Amino acid sequence: MSDVRIGVYVCHCGKNIGGVINPAKVAEHAGKLPNVVISRDYVYMCSSPGQLLIEEDIKKYNLNRVIVAACSPRMHEPTFQGVLKRAGLNPWLLQMVNVREHDTWVHENVPEKAEEKAKDLVAAAVARAAHLYEINTVRAPVVKSAVVIGGGIAGIRASLDLANAGIKVYLIEKKQSIGGKMAQLDKTFPTLDCSQCILTPLMVDVSRHPNIEIYAYSEVVDVSGSAGDFKVKVRLKPTYVDWSKCTGCGACVEKCPGRAPKEFDEGLGVRKAIYFEFPQAVPRRPVIDTEHCLWFTKGICKVCEKVCPVGAIDYKQVERYVELNVGAIVVAIGYELYDLSKLSEYGYGKFKNVISGLQLERLSSADGPTRGKILRPSDGKEPKTVGIVLCAGSRDENHVKYCCRFGCAAAIKHVYYIKHALPDAKVLVFYTDVRAFGKGYEEFYQKFRSEENVFFIRGRPAEIFEGRDGSLIFDVYDSNTNQLINVRADLVVLEGAVVPPKDWEPLRRILKVSCDPGGFALELHPKLRPFETTSDGIFLAGAIQGPKDIPDTVAHAAAAAASAIGFLAKGYVESVPYLAVVNEDLCSGCSLCVPICPYGAISVSEKEGKRVAKVDVIKCKGCGACAATCPSGAMQQNYFTDKQVLSEVVVLAGGAK
Amino acid sequence: MSDRVKVALYWCASCGGCEEAVVDLAEELIRLSNSLEIVFWPVAVDFKKSDVEAMPDSSIDISFINGGIRLTEHEEVVKLLRRKSKLVVAFGSCAHGGGVPGLANMYSRDEILRYAYIEAPTVINSEGALPKELSGGVGGELELPKVLKLLKPLDEVVDVDFYIPGCAPTPDVIKKSLETLLSGKLPPKGSVLGASSKSLCDECDLNKTKPEKILLKDIKRVHQVRLDLSKCYLSQGVICLGPVTRGGCGTLCVKGGMPCTGCFGPLDNVSDYGARALSFLASVIDYDDEVQAEKFIEEYIPDPVGWFYRYNLPKSLIKGRYQRQGGGVHG
Ligand SMILES: Cc1cc2nc3c(=O)[nH]c(=O)nc-3n(C[C@H](O)[C@H](O)[C@H](O)COP(=O)(O)OP(=O)(O)OC[C@H]3O[C@@H](n4cnc5c(N)ncnc54)[C@H](O)[C@@H]3O)c2cc1C
């Protein structure tokens, strides 16, 4: 490389650099180094005159490498790359040297040494610059469509926003109907409007939208390709009803003799063996539950087939697979409630009258198992005393460490349900802290805590025992009054901890999305990029990123959709400059780079009878893990090749003396 | 006669295997003797150092030197050979990277001498006598060479033109190297002769059986497992250093049911063999969390230096255990 022509530019950054060292001296020193054609210092290199200086030098001195000793590359690398571009040079022939953060800012009180260090750093960059080469990024077109996984309120909102922006959306829901947990709620805090009334119109909008295709009773089993061009494989589980023929008339459900506990009512109600998930289900199509269907279990009945007016029943249906080609993926699979039977001291699952908050929602709902009457499950009697336990499993070292973020508000709402249905009932709320942080939540709290016969007690129940009449007996230590209270309640409601859905772990492995210590999806940045992931083209909406109430879920989902729209609207994805590049002459196809790649970007394939590694340039994010792993040095990372890095190290190690 | 190529062979700190490897050329050696003239080969031919000293400078065409540099005598002779030779070739792993004797760089000279002459269980040396440079003997004063502080690869002492890899170099590699050297068309100085520019996996028959992802929960030593000889050993949990090691040996060990231990050394683009080997191993360990990974290392990699720097510790960046002046560092 005899024709390397380097220009070195040392910035004063006002007093930031110039106030500590003498940039002119550093430039002078650089001028004596090999390949350096011109070296200068200037008070603000990033200013227009500073930039112009470099641009003119490039042309005048025919420079083919530029070194700028100034601030962090995170600050001004793009600025000076722009200068190179304007002067007709490839931007990656620029080398920044950070003499501000790495030198003058930290060695302010030893200016002579700082100046020596600046000289060394520049000398290392000069050595490195000789090994720089042109890097060109590649662009790949983006498929303007999206998959939304999960049809709760988050998935619904994200789908509608995407579809309204003209993007084709495939909404994948694992249950028969979209709606998620919100469909199970009676009312929503803090305004107490009816949950279904505000939700179902949106569900209908989704089903009618020309840009949305719903895949209900389906799940994602594989994702290949990369951002902008994903291939999403979806498994359509057998429903034993041909949904394309079915009109949703419900004749089959009405006549079915099979019975089973109703999931939608959290096991409190009963449904048929062929059933709609709930009356307002979207799509309104039934499914046969083979475990309870008389035909599947005993080979008798077939009543549904007989009554179906359109011949839609199909006992021989098998699972089907479709492959969807999309540019972006929005993950909106929500949350699950912690298994309350693990809190053995509370007797959930053992004592009939210990129920979950969600079960109370169902008891309170007009379409629930009791038609909206709050009755004890054990004997159907009205409870006179109700205990509500907050943080059941949350904020607990032995169970779930974090806060569920909606249990407090839900509990206050549950106070309302009980007082509204049973004005004479006494309600005891056992809390750790009442976190009423949302808009209007504190007012909501104040309103219900001052109701007659409502007591907020700071403490968690000790072990719960069951009386002979099904009532529940327990002690609570009230830390506000320093008293031990003995309680006898007819009904206990547990506001349970919130965890990621069980199928999240396999799904996140398919999607290559990381998770936080609680297991929820890890966002790209907790504050600044809370709805993106480290995998390009994959976005997060709603409670899968962490517990959220509905207002937060909707805001998050809309932001995720906006982010996905922005990503798709750009029309292309671009490879990073710092790509891993395989030298096929050295690669022995040993495959060790394959598992180390966190993005699944490397594969090994046969080429002219030899196995060689191949990098998917769009998937590669330039992390360098493969280059560090490659046992033969065949894998190199652009802009960080072994030669480039070692040439710097050699100078620095020698320069340190 | 005089148009034959003049060669010298010499051994330093080595086991003698490299000499044996030359003899293993068998009939080839006889055929070669038509084109080669051996002017110095202490192990086989009766020439003395003084004979070499008497030769004009650069009069030997090629000197093949095996073994690491451990004694002052080694230094003396290789410097002499360098002066008298047009080309110097480091022959075998020890001259190339320090070899197995180079592992002694984990100990100080004093520790080694004390162990070898006094402490080793098979030694009886009640007076605690250690070798001295001058010892009075029956035939008068005897001068012994001094043991150097560290073992050095050949190119740390003299300028080396080419390297022939292997512990020991296989007959095939020696043959190919000689062909290159005698062809007159020499590769760039510093090249490794007779071997491949790719890692061993490239020529290994088992490479095609290797799954795309190897993830190991444990490591097995060869005696702990019944190896399936038709499947990549690494995928069976046995550490085969094939991926980090220069090919060219024809996968002799692998064919013989043993994993590669790395005697051909690193590839051209790799500056530190053991560091590479460690980072490749890190890529196949199937533990995400640090505690478990640490346990894995403790349990399965008790001797990382012996495993990953077996043939080239003196040539690595770490060179050996840090030696404070006057002795070894403990703990
Ligand atoms: C008792 C209780 C009362 C509450 N009351 C209120 C309230 O009054 N006000 C309020 O603001 N919030 C309330 N919440 C919180 C509310 O439920 C959540 O904010 C909201 O449901 C989050 O919506 P989501 O879409 O993120 O998740 P979800 O509602 O959980 O929806 C997730 C959807 O994804 C589907 N899914 C899951 N896994 C997969 C998969 N692998 N593939 C495809 N689909 C999948 C699910 O079937 C579901 O349809 C309450 C919660 C509880 C437990």
Side-chain angles (χ1 to χ4, degrees):
Chain A
M1 278 218 190
S2 53
D3 56 345
V4 171
R5 298 178 63 81
I6 305 175
V8 178
Y9 299 87
V10 187
C11 180
H12 293 233
C13 194
K15 287 230 169 304
N16 277 300
I17 297 168
V20 179
I21 62 173
N22 184 349
K25 284 268 173 62
V26 178
E28 190 194 311
H29 178 260
K32 295 183 212 129
L33 297 170
N35 300 327
V36 177
V37 179
I38 176 86
S39 65
R40 299 179 190 273
D41 63 294
Y42 187 72
V43 61
Y44 284 113
M45 268 310 164
C46 60
S47 68
S48 310
Q51 293 190 36
L52 204 63
L53 185 85
I54 303 176
E55 197 178 327
E56 279 170 359
D57 272 2
I58 294 175
K59 291 176 191 151
K60 190 161 145 205
Y61 296 100
N62 209 7
L63 302 180
N64 53 22
R65 304 285 192 286
V66 173
I67 293 173
V68 180
C71 53
S72 162
R74 296 212 68 140
M75 186 80 198
H76 275 308
E77 191 174 71
T79 311
F80 295 111
Q81 285 183 330
V83 174
L84 268 72
K85 268 195 233 169
R86 287 201 294 279
L89 279 186
N90 184 285
W92 297 98
L93 298 172
L94 169 79
Q95 178 64 49
M96 292 286 288
V97 183
N98 186 353
V99 290
R100 194 178 72 174
E101 283 88 332
H102 286 183
D103 193 17
T104 56
W105 276 6
V106 284
H107 305 310
E108 204 181 357
N109 40 15
V110 279
E112 299 84 35
K113 285 189 177 168
E115 194 166 299
E116 283 309 302
K117 180 170 171 182
K119 287 178 188 169
D120 285 347
L121 290 172
V122 170
V126 168
R128 178 187 160 98
H131 301 289
L132 293 178
Y133 50 83
E134 294 191 1
I135 300 174
N136 295 302
T137 52
V138 199
R139 284 181 182 184
V142 152
V143 183
K144 284 213 171 144
S145 57
V147 150
V148 175
I149 312 175
I153 183 60
I156 290 172
R157 175 66 202 242
S159 299
L160 287 171
D161 284 7
L162 281 159
N164 287 337
I167 289 157
K168 172 87 196 174
V169 177
Y170 304 94
L171 175 55
I172 321 291
E173 168 58 54
K174 114 180 141 173
K175 297 195 182 147
Q176 298 102 291
S177 172
I178 59 171
K181 305 282 185 312
M182 191 175 166
Q184 289 176 277
L185 307 180
D186 177 24
K187 304 213 160 26
T188 55
F189 58 72
T191 44
L192 296 177
D193 32 9
C194 146
S195 191
Q196 294 250 2
C197 311
I198 57 175
L199 177 67
T200 45
L202 294 179
M203 290 164 62
V204 174
D205 285 353
V206 167
S207 71
R208 296 228 178 103
H209 205 295
N211 282 342
I212 303 180
E213 220 171 292
I214 304 177
Y215 284 88
Y217 217 53
S218 300
E219 56 195 17
V220 171
V221 289
D222 192 32
V223 174
S224 58
S226 54
D229 187 15
F230 291 113
K231 310 263 184 313
V232 180
K233 193 172 171 194
V234 179
R235 183 168 86 97
L236 283 70
K237 294 179 274 189
T239 58
Y240 307 103
V241 179
D242 184 343
W243 282 9
S244 64
K245 286 187 191 158
C246 172
T247 60
C249 73
C252 54
V253 177
E254 200 177 304
K255 292 285 182 307
C256 174
R259 295 284 184 279
K262 188 168 176 182
E263 293 84 357
F264 190 73
D265 283 342
E266 296 291 311
L268 291 179
V270 174
R271 61 157 169 82
K272 301 291 182 64
I274 185 167
Y275 67 108
F276 297 112
E277 201 186 336
F278 54 101
Q280 303 85 338
V282 168
R284 195 180 141 83
R285 296 287 180 269
V287 167
I288 294 181
D289 160 10
T290 53
E291 274 174 41
H292 294 92
C293 166
L294 291 174
W295 172 249
F296 279 99
T297 53
K298 301 209 173 92
I300 51 170
C301 187
K302 281 196 172 186
V303 165
C304 48
E305 192 183 51
K306 282 174 212 136
V307 299
C308 178
V310 290
I313 305 294
D314 176 6
Y315 299 114
K316 295 209 178 71
Q317 200 180 61
V318 288
E319 60 181 19
R320 283 187 299 135
Y321 291 89
V322 290
E323 194 180 84
L324 305 169
N325 186 201
V326 296
I329 297 174
V330 178
V331 186
I333 64 166
Y335 66 94
E336 236 165 57
L337 289 165
Y338 187 65
D339 177 3
L340 291 172
S341 64
K342 286 190 185 155
L343 305 159
S344 51
E345 68 275 23
Y346 292 160
Y348 180 84
K350 204 162 63 180
F351 307 146
K352 278 197 168 158
N353 296 331
V354 177
I355 64 171
S356 71
L358 211 47
Q359 284 176 320
L360 182 68
E361 295 285 345
R362 297 313 303 146
L363 290 179
S364 183
S365 292
D367 64 345
T370 52
R371 304 262 152 241
K373 292 203 182 84
I374 295 179
L375 306 172
R376 320 206 289 181
S378 70
D379 51 14
K381 283 193 192 144
E382 288 186 352
K384 295 196 173 56
T385 304
V386 180
I388 299 180
V389 183
L390 269 64
C391 302
S394 296
R395 305 178 63 197
D396 184 336
E397 281 292 319
N398 299 320
H399 299 282
V400 168
K401 288 193 189 127
Y402 48 88
C403 164
C404 80
R405 286 182 99 256
F406 49 68
C408 291
I412 301 162
K413 180 179 69 171
H414 293 161
V415 170
Y416 160 78
Y417 287 174
I418 293 156
K419 293 304 286 181
H420 186 73
L422 312 162
D424 297 332
K426 183 168 153 190
V427 186
L428 307 168
V429 182
F430 306 106
Y431 69 95
T432 313
D433 300 290
V434 174
R435 293 179 167 172
F437 51 82
K439 182 170 168 172
Y441 293 13
E442 180 63 23
E443 296 85 328
F444 186 55
Y445 173 40
Q446 293 306 338
K447 181 165 188 285
F448 289 102
R449 74 169 294 171
S450 52
E451 286 237 339
E452 209 176 320
N453 268 331
V454 173
F455 303 93
F456 275 74
I457 296 157
R458 191 167 194 279
R460 293 191 189 197
E463 196 173 351
I464 295 181
F465 297 94
E466 193 180 35
R468 212 172 292 160
D469 61 347
S471 60
L472 303 152
I473 302 145
F474 52 94
D475 293 340
V476 181
Y477 171 69
D478 180 348
S479 65
N480 281 340
T481 60
N482 203 8
Q483 269 176 3
L484 194 68
I485 308 173
N486 315 109
V487 181
R488 183 177 202 104
D490 303 306
L491 185 69
V492 168
V493 181
L494 303 177
E495 306 292 358
V498 165
V499 291
K502 268 175 227 66
D503 18 348
W504 171 232
E505 188 55 30
L507 182 62
R508 85 171 184 85
R509 289 194 183 272
I510 291 171
L511 295 169
K512 300 200 171 61
V513 170
S514 317
C515 62
D516 63 26
F520 290 96
L522 190 69
E523 61 288 322
L524 191 54
H525 189 283
K527 295 163 196 99
L528 306 177
R529 310 184 78 167
F531 32 79
E532 291 155 271
T533 67
T534 47
S535 298
D536 274 359
I538 300 185
F539 303 87
L540 303 172
I544 186 56
Q545 183 255 349
K548 279 178 196 54
D549 57 18
I550 295 164
D552 282 2
T553 296
V554 170
H556 196 246
S563 205
I565 292 165
F567 171 76
L568 295 173
K570 194 169 154 201
Y572 63 85
V573 282
E574 193 160 8
S575 64
V576 294
Y578 319 110
L579 279 186
V581 183
V582 189
N583 179 343
E584 290 183 357
D585 292 337
L586 291 181
C587 176
S588 65
C590 80
S591 308
L592 293 171
C593 49
V594 177
I596 202 75
C597 176
Y599 306 99
I602 310 178
S603 57
V604 170
S605 53
E606 200 101 352
K607 197 169 172 184
E608 289 150 21
K610 288 279 180 189
R611 279 159 62 95
V612 285
K614 203 176 144 223
V615 179
D616 181 323
V617 295
I618 297 298
K619 279 187 179 176
C620 173
K621 291 288 159 276
C623 72
C626 57
T629 297
C630 177
S632 52
M635 190 70 90
Q636 294 287 333
Q637 188 187 5
N638 272 347
Y639 209 62
F640 295 99
T641 64
D642 289 352
K643 269 206 187 109
Q644 290 167 350
V645 176
L646 285 173
S647 62
E648 250 177 312
V649 172
V650 165
V651 170
L652 289 175
K657 268 172 274 245
Chain B
M1 252 254 192
S2 57
D3 56 344
R4 285 194 299 172
V5 174
K6 288 197 174 72
V7 301
L9 294 93
Y10 190 70
W11 60 352
C12 300
S14 70
C15 64
C18 284
E19 309 283 343
E20 194 62 51
V22 178
V23 179
D24 277 349
L25 287 171
E27 311 90 85
E28 188 66 28
L29 198 59
I30 298 166
R31 209 166 316 135
L32 279 167
S33 63
N34 292 327
S35 45
L36 300 181
E37 179 191 348
I38 292 169
V39 297
F40 185 54
W41 188 9
V43 83
V45 192
D46 190 15
F47 290 108
K48 296 280 186 280
K49 188 177 153 207
S50 52
D51 297 321
V52 180
E53 277 165 338
M55 296 177 193
D57 284 0
S58 301
S59 60
I60 304 174
D61 291 297
I62 314 168
S63 279
F64 294 94
I65 300 173
N66 72 69
I69 309 301
R70 180 84 252 190
L71 301 174
T72 46
E73 181 204 20
H74 300 151
E75 276 185 330
E76 217 177 295
V77 178
V78 301
K79 280 180 183 161
L80 173 67
L81 283 172
R82 176 70 266 185
R83 212 167 54 238
K84 302 292 172 188
S85 315
K86 293 195 185 80
L87 293 177
V88 166
V89 176
F91 188 98
S93 302
C94 296
H96 187 186
V100 173
L103 289 172
N105 285 3
M106 291 302 285
Y107 303 90
S108 73
R109 174 175 52 199
D110 295 343
E111 283 173 310
I112 295 168
L113 290 178
R114 219 180 319 116
Y115 187 82
Y117 287 92
I118 302 172
E119 292 165 0
T122 49
V123 171
I124 299 169
N125 178 359
S126 47
E127 288 150 49
L130 288 174
K132 283 185 279 185
E133 275 159 61
L134 286 176
S135 8
V138 193
E141 279 265 273
L142 188 66
E143 194 188 335
L144 285 180
K146 203 176 154 190
V147 179
L148 298 170
K149 252 169 102 174
L150 288 171
L151 183 138
K152 295 182 237 175
L154 184 61
D155 60 7
E156 248 183 65
V157 181
V158 295
D159 198 30
V160 170
D161 297 289
F162 299 108
Y163 302 86
I164 299 177
C167 179
T170 63
D172 194 42
V173 166
I174 301 175
K175 226 171 73 190
K176 276 199 207 137
S177 304
L178 286 176
E179 272 162 19
T180 308
L181 287 167
L182 299 180
S183 71
K185 273 185 266 145
L186 293 178
K189 192 174 160 180
S191 293
V192 175
L193 304 177
S196 165
S197 62
K198 292 194 182 193
S199 85
L200 189 63
C201 297
D202 183 61
E203 65 198 55
C204 183
D205 290 339
L206 307 185
N207 197 29
K208 50 184 178 302
T209 70
K210 188 189 280 171
E212 246 204 8
K213 283 191 182 184
I214 295 181
L215 290 171
L216 303 179
K217 287 255 184 255
D218 53 12
I219 288 180
K220 294 173 201 90
R221 313 284 294 271
V222 266
H223 66 276
Q224 292 169 323
V225 61
R226 192 171 285 272
L227 269 180
D228 177 349
L229 299 188
S230 65
K231 249 176 70 191
C232 170
Y233 297 172
L234 200 53
S235 71
Q236 300 181 58
V238 167
I239 294 306
C240 176
L241 292 175
V244 227
T245 306
R246 183 185 295 276
C249 61
T251 71
L252 288 176
C253 294
V254 176
K255 282 182 183 143
M258 289 292 285
C260 172
T261 57
C263 74
F264 270 46
L267 286 140
D268 289 335
N269 273 5
V270 175
S271 52
D272 190 298
Y273 180 89
R276 275 291 156 157
L278 274 169
S279 68
F280 116 65
L281 185 72
S283 77
V284 297
I285 296 181
D286 192 17
Y287 291 108
D288 284 342
D289 82 293
E290 258 171 65
V291 183
Q292 278 184 307
E294 228 156 80
K295 256 200 212 144
F296 176 94
I297 292 169
E298 236 167 66
E299 183 166 351
Y300 295 111
I301 312 182
D303 178 19
V305 173
W307 213 339
F308 301 118
Y309 286 108
R310 183 174 301 178
Y311 301 101
N312 41 42
L313 180 66
K315 197 138 191 185
S316 68
L317 292 173
I318 57 170
K319 291 196 161 38
R321 196 171 54 166
Y322 173 68
Q323 312 264 323
R324 213 182 281 145
Q325 242 143 16
V329 178
H330 302 273

